[in-house]
Amino acid sequence: LLKDYFFAIVGAAVVALLLRVYVVEAFRIPTDFMAPMLLPGDHIFVNKLAYGGIFSGTTRAPARGDVVIFSFPNFPQKDYIKRVVALEGDTVEIRDSRVVVGGKPISREMERDVYEEELAGHRFYVQWKTAAPESRNMPKVTVPPGNVFVLGDNRAKGQDSRGYGFLPLSSIKGRAALIWFSTGATSEALGVRWSRLMTRVN
């Protein structure tokens, strides 16, 4: 009986490890760089099969608007999360806080102090409120093969492709899929943001 329990526990641990390495991984949002869509204290699941097979790495490009987790080559020990705005071959520029992809401004509407943008079927909120003047404009560039251009939803924070350049597809680990837990400054019970639980990342 003890032997059966032992092998059951070991088997479950191995399956959990394989799932974490190859299929899905939990990730905690540490900063407000993706606010207001993702907040510090949000815990999300990352789909690691979104852009390729289990052993083949990233074999296909994300879609415009996808929120991706990646390990940037200059900082391989640290994971980042950003939104894909442009794909290889696309031109992208920023004109007075307006992102323009392929010569077409991203559709947006003002709502309170944030913008609601729509890109390739994704609807999300972005904020430029405290952005420095130099971050509100960027000359037109063309995304090279094997790369994408990413931005944070909090556009006031410049740590994205405006600062560190294009993101290689090979650095992408997966797509942010679901907020499964969230804690932080909140009026909700026990400090848990109950209203954010099980919310799809759009």
Side-chain angles (χ1 to χ4, degrees), residues 14-25 48:
V14 170
V15 170
L17 179 61
L18 290 174
L19 286 173
R20 182 182 184 277
V21 172
Y22 296 116
V23 181
V24 66
E25 183 174 353
K48 302 184 80 170

